[in-house]
Amino acid sequence: MKKILLSSIIVLIGLTFIGRLSYLQVFRHSSMQVTEDTAIKAIYDYPERGYIYDRNGELLVANQPAYDVMVIPREVKKLDTLEFCTLLGIEKATFLKQFGKAKNYSPRLPSVLVPQLSKKDYARLQEKMRKYSGFYIQKRSLRYYDTHSGANVFGFISEVNDYELNENPYYKLGELKGRTGIEKQYEEILRGRKGVKYIQKDRFNRDIGPYKNGILDTLPEQGKEIKITIDKKLQEYGELLMNGKRGGIVAIEPATGEILTMISGPTYDPGLLVGRERSKNYTKLYNDSIAQPTYDRSVLAQTSPGSPFKAINALIALQENVITPDTKIQCYNGFYVGNKKRGCHCGGGLRDLDVGIYKSCNAYFAGTFRKIFEKFPTTDEGMDVWDKHVKSFGLGNFLGSDIPTGRSGSIPTKKTYDRMYGDNRWSSSYFISNAIGQGEILVTPIQLANMTAAIANRGYYVVPHVLKEVEGEKITNQKYIEKHYTTIDKKHFEPVVQGMANVYKHGTGRGVQIPDLEIAGKTGTVENYTRIDGVRTQLTDHSVFVAFAPVDNPKIAIAVYIENGYYGGRYAGHIASLLIEKYLKGAITRKDLEKRMLDRTLEKEYAKAISGEPFIINERVW
């Protein structure tokens, strides 16, 4: 028995020693611990970011080779700094700044000294770098764009900052990360995963081979390719039409919520934010405080919706049974707000719903708006109901799209007017401008497009989004599949849709009809004010237009907002119709509209705020 016990103790002690040695030799050496070992060098192998394709499989974003000059500060020996800087093509001050930054980050770990060398620079440097201890060249890939459009959609990548280095251990100094747009939203999908090789060094700091025969080494994982909902040709054509104009355009496939095009004007070539000139180019773009090319107007510009909002008030009035499509209201060439008369361009006369929409009668919708609130015992109750209906179209809040920036717009509530006038001290006449889409209502172009999609669908929308597939697999996120129903019954949409179809046939949009296409739309002219030298000054109106087509089984819903673009049927109406025809037909028949948009800009109009030249108010001729 004693022999068995003694043997067991010896075996147990032996197993303990073996286990401990195994732990020390294998398991104890995590990648984090390895990188902290001064006798081991980590060499990272960066994968290519995932390719981006448009909805039709056309390439949008790929990669191109680039090279970084890396430094391991503690391995750097005395060198001729001026000679080295001349070789790299950088200033001595830049070298000292980057070297100091690398040394502060880690004397033992590699850092980027000079990022993103071109192929030509690499070929010139690779042999000469050997004479400079502690420096080497590492290959990586940069973005390559197969289009000059879509900068606001794609976004850009740039070096991680100190905060991100502290927050996310995946990133190392000098590495790149998606900063805006799709590149930011889907960073973890697109970036892949970098590989690493660990090299053992001897006591003379010489490489002697793979650490532990490479058992801790990992291979890079290529970023996943994605297909987005954007139509490349439509995006390029839309940006071409926006030349010399400021504003935002969003087009959506109504049934799916897929964003077909998302345009901000003015914009820039996404290729400008690639390579060693990226920082300089971005600074120049960002500091352009007049044109603001980095400001994405398609999701950030908040403005009154103007007359397109009349369709929402019509639907609310029908749902609340305060009007029928045949209800008539007299227009006396305008309506009164207190003692002040607001004009109307419909010509005056009795107006029903159809005529009210296609002639955009302000008086008809002011009367309709009053009827909504007169139904309820108190204005507070009326406002609660109106507010609920409006917000069911996705207005007044973030839609929840996968665009990583945006604004919520604003839909007034009873609290809004309690703050402005006091509790129980206001009535519908105080905010009657909301009847025609002015007043306290603010929307963004993407919200307007989504609202139009909900009308096109006769009562529902799907959250707008830009991701379509990942590695050939369709998205399964319920958020971008689920239908969000409005508070309006389906039956009430048809008379409103008919009125919008008549906008094109014999209404305010008749001048931008497209042959052989049934389109429903609504023009909008939005009053535009700013302060110049402290004085509230009225500028040239904004031009707004929403539309969808075909009227039955719609394939596209669009909203166009053009700053200082005069009335709705002018710039915005032209562009909306051209984009609809481009998407549905693939070719343009209204060459007259196209020529007008390609030839004409609004640069002189935008310059008036600086030059002092008077603005044009309610001017309706070219």
Side-chain angles (χ1 to χ4, degrees):
M1 187 67 181
K2 289 182 179 180
K3 288 182 178 180
I4 295 174
L5 181 61
L6 183 61
S7 298
S8 298
I9 292 172
I10 293 170
V11 170
L12 182 61
I13 292 172
L15 289 173
T16 301
F17 272 106
I18 292 170
R20 180 61 177 168
L21 286 171
S22 297
Y23 171 75
L24 291 172
Q25 292 296 315
V26 180
F27 300 105
R28 182 174 176 269
H29 285 80
S30 68
S31 59
M32 184 63 71
Q33 290 167 324
V34 169
T35 56
E36 293 172 355
D37 192 328
T38 58
I40 301 168
K41 178 172 70 175
I43 299 177
Y44 292 101
D45 190 358
Y46 292 93
E48 289 192 355
R49 286 179 78 87
Y51 284 27
I52 301 175
Y53 297 87
D54 89 332
R55 64 185 298 105
N56 301 309
E58 291 198 42
L59 181 64
L60 293 169
V61 187
N63 300 298
Q64 58 183 316
Y67 305 87
D68 293 341
V69 176
M70 309 294 294
V71 60
I72 302 175
R74 65 171 290 170
E75 297 181 10
V76 174
K77 297 179 180 178
K78 189 175 181 180
L79 74 158
D80 185 334
T81 307
L82 190 59
E83 178 188 68
F84 189 56
C85 290
T86 302
L87 178 66
L88 296 178
I90 61 174
E91 298 291 330
K92 184 177 179 179
T94 302
F95 170 82
L96 295 175
K97 178 182 176 183
Q98 290 300 106
F99 187 81
K101 188 176 180 181
K103 195 171 182 179
N104 288 335
Y105 171 67
S106 173
R108 295 177 287 99
L109 297 178
S111 297
V112 176
L113 181 75
V114 180
Q116 304 167 17
L117 297 176
S118 67
K119 227 177 191 180
K120 182 180 177 181
D121 289 337
Y122 168 70
R124 179 174 57 85
L125 288 172
Q126 62 173 331
E127 292 299 325
K128 298 178 181 179
M129 289 294 293
R130 294 180 181 177
K131 62 183 283 190
Y132 299 101
S133 295
F135 300 93
Y136 65 95
I137 296 178
Q138 178 172 275
K139 183 180 178 181
R140 73 162 69 211
S141 64
L142 296 179
R143 281 315 212 184
Y144 163 76
Y145 297 93
D146 200 37
T147 178
H148 297 295
S149 302
N152 63 312
V153 180
F154 308 138
F156 64 91
I157 58 177
S158 65
E159 289 187 23
V160 291
N161 55 41
D162 292 339
Y163 173 80
E164 290 162 332
L165 289 171
N166 293 329
E167 287 294 306
N168 192 336
Y170 173 84
Y171 296 103
K172 306 299 179 187
L173 186 66
E175 291 184 1
L176 304 176
K177 180 182 180 183
R179 192 62 59 195
T180 60
I182 293 171
E183 297 281 16
K184 176 182 179 180
Q185 184 71 17
Y186 296 110
E187 163 70 8
E188 292 188 10
I189 292 174
L190 291 168
R191 78 184 182 195
R193 181 164 290 276
K194 60 178 177 278
V196 61
K197 292 180 181 179
Y198 296 107
I199 305 299
Q200 180 77 55
K201 296 182 177 184
D202 63 16
R203 62 193 182 93
F204 299 107
N205 207 33
R206 296 175 300 196
D207 294 350
I208 58 175
Y211 174 69
K212 290 195 175 298
N213 295 318
I215 61 172
L216 294 180
D217 295 354
T218 58
L219 294 173
E221 295 178 18
Q222 171 106 18
K224 294 179 180 179
E225 67 178 41
I226 65 173
K227 180 182 284 189
I228 62 174
T229 63
I230 297 294
D231 185 297
K232 180 181 180 181
K233 292 180 180 176
L234 193 68
Q235 183 80 19
E236 291 172 344
Y237 184 60
E239 290 191 15
L240 187 66
L241 296 176
M242 282 292 287
N243 180 48
K245 308 168 188 72
R246 299 177 191 170
I249 303 171
V250 177
I252 296 172
E253 184 177 68
T256 64
E258 293 180 355
I259 298 174
L260 303 173
T261 190
M262 194 172 80
I263 296 166
S264 178
T267 186
Y268 57 91
D269 185 334
L272 289 174
L273 299 188
V274 175
R276 295 181 68 181
E277 299 297 307
R278 188 205 69 80
S279 181
K280 183 176 75 173
N281 290 338
Y282 181 78
T283 300
K284 183 178 179 181
L285 292 168
Y286 183 79
N287 289 335
D288 185 349
S289 59
I290 298 175
Q292 296 180 297
T294 61
Y295 177 70
D296 189 352
R297 289 169 168 86
S298 66
V299 292
L300 293 173
Q302 295 184 124
T303 185
S304 297
S307 291
F309 193 76
K310 291 173 180 176
I312 301 299
N313 279 325
L315 289 166
I316 295 171
L318 290 169
Q319 181 69 28
E320 293 300 323
N321 296 313
V322 297
I323 64 166
T324 71
D326 298 322
T327 299
K328 291 181 171 57
I329 295 176
Q330 183 71 42
C331 174
Y332 297 100
N333 293 309
F335 65 97
Y336 283 90
V337 182
N339 294 323
K340 185 179 179 182
K341 185 177 182 180
R342 296 202 61 159
C344 182
H345 52 69
C346 77
L350 277 176
R351 303 297 185 215
D352 60 13
L353 178 61
D354 186 52
V355 179
I357 291 176
Y358 78 70
K359 287 203 169 187
S360 201
C361 177
N362 288 341
Y364 174 85
F365 284 98
T368 298
F369 191 73
R370 287 192 180 99
K371 288 177 182 290
I372 295 171
F373 285 86
E374 288 168 357
K375 173 184 175 179
F376 299 94
T378 66
T379 311
D380 276 7
E381 291 177 72
M383 177 56 74
D384 283 341
V385 171
W386 180 84
D387 183 73
K388 181 182 178 182
H389 285 311
V390 172
K391 288 180 177 175
S392 74
F393 285 83
L395 302 176
N397 56 67
F398 292 101
L399 289 169
S401 71
D402 55 352
I403 307 300
T405 188
R407 288 183 175 164
S408 64
S410 179
I411 300 299
T413 65
K414 60 186 179 185
K415 290 182 179 179
T416 305
Y417 298 112
D418 283 347
R419 285 194 300 267
M420 293 172 68
Y421 305 113
D423 192 15
N424 294 319
R425 299 184 64 182
W426 48 274
S427 65
S428 61
S429 63
Y430 282 60
F431 49 88
I432 194 69
S433 292
N434 292 334
I436 58 173
Q438 299 273 180
E440 288 69 48
I441 302 169
L442 293 176
V443 298
T444 60
I446 194 172
Q447 289 177 324
L448 265 182
N450 186 68
M451 179 196 85
T452 307
I455 297 172
N457 289 331
R458 278 65 166 178
Y460 76 87
Y461 68 87
V462 179
V463 171
H465 54 279
V466 293
L467 183 63
K468 189 175 179 71
E469 296 177 4
V470 178
E471 293 281 306
E473 296 291 327
K474 292 186 177 179
I475 59 169
T476 56
N477 190 335
Q478 192 64 27
K479 181 179 180 180
Y480 305 126
I481 299 171
E482 180 185 0
K483 294 179 179 179
H484 297 263
Y485 287 90
T486 69
T487 54
I488 310 299
D489 295 338
K490 185 175 181 179
K491 64 182 180 181
H492 296 308
F493 283 88
E494 288 308 323
V496 173
V497 168
Q498 186 57 51
M500 293 175 70
N502 285 333
V503 166
Y504 267 91
K505 292 176 180 177
H506 37 254
T508 53
R510 60 188 179 277
V512 292
Q513 293 180 70
I514 301 297
D516 305 320
L517 274 183
E518 288 287 325
I519 308 177
K522 187 71 193 77
T523 54
T525 305
V526 178
E527 290 182 347
N528 178 22
Y529 290 88
T530 192
R531 288 196 173 275
I532 300 177
D533 296 330
V535 179
R536 188 171 186 264
T537 305
Q538 185 170 8
L539 313 182
T540 306
D541 294 333
H542 297 318
S543 175
V544 178
F545 199 94
V546 302
F548 61 87
V551 173
D552 297 315
N553 192 26
K555 303 297 183 186
I556 181 173
I558 191 168
V560 181
Y561 154 67
I562 306 296
E563 295 178 12
N564 303 68
Y566 304 88
Y567 55 92
R570 193 161 174 174
Y571 282 91
H574 283 59
I575 291 172
S577 294
L578 287 168
L579 287 174
I580 287 173
E581 183 174 31
K582 180 72 172 178
Y583 183 68
L584 295 179
K585 289 184 172 183
I588 299 298
T589 58
R590 287 296 305 268
K591 294 293 184 181
D592 57 325
L593 300 186
E594 182 181 59
K595 186 177 187 306
R596 195 173 286 170
M597 288 300 98
L598 294 177
D599 290 348
R600 295 180 182 272
T601 77
L602 288 163
E603 297 292 357
K604 290 184 178 179
E605 198 64 40
Y606 302 136
K608 290 178 181 178
I610 300 173
S611 68
E613 187 179 342
F615 292 92
I616 301 172
I617 312 302
N618 298 324
E619 191 264 283
R620 298 188 60 82
V621 296
W622 286 95

